[in-house]
Amino acid sequence: MDNLLARAQQSGSVRADARIEDIKVLLIGILQATEDDGTFPDRIVSILCDGLRG
């Protein structure tokens, strides 16, 4: 995951200040908010990805 994030940041696809820990916290929050059923609603994932864009 570290390499994937670093490459995305180098290409400008992901904001430079994003860290793996940030992404983990966000994904855990989504799981908790969706009652931990393992599904990520498309709209919420889209909002998360928009926020990570560089």
Side-chain angles (χ1 to χ4, degrees):
M1 265 178 75
D2 289 329
N3 290 336
L4 182 61
L5 178 60
R7 289 184 4 217
Q9 288 170 323
Q10 289 170 354
S11 74
S13 297
V14 173
R15 52 189 293 159
D17 63 344
R19 302 286 174 254
I20 291 296
E21 294 79 18
D22 302 328
I23 296 169
K24 286 179 183 178
V25 167
L26 292 166
L27 293 174
I28 289 168
I30 290 171
L31 280 172
Q32 289 177 342
T34 57
E35 300 177 5
D36 216 11
D37 65 2
T39 62
F40 293 106
D42 291 341
R43 186 178 61 82
I44 294 174
V45 173
S46 178
I47 292 169
L48 172 64
C49 290
D50 287 345
L52 290 170
R53 284 204 177 91

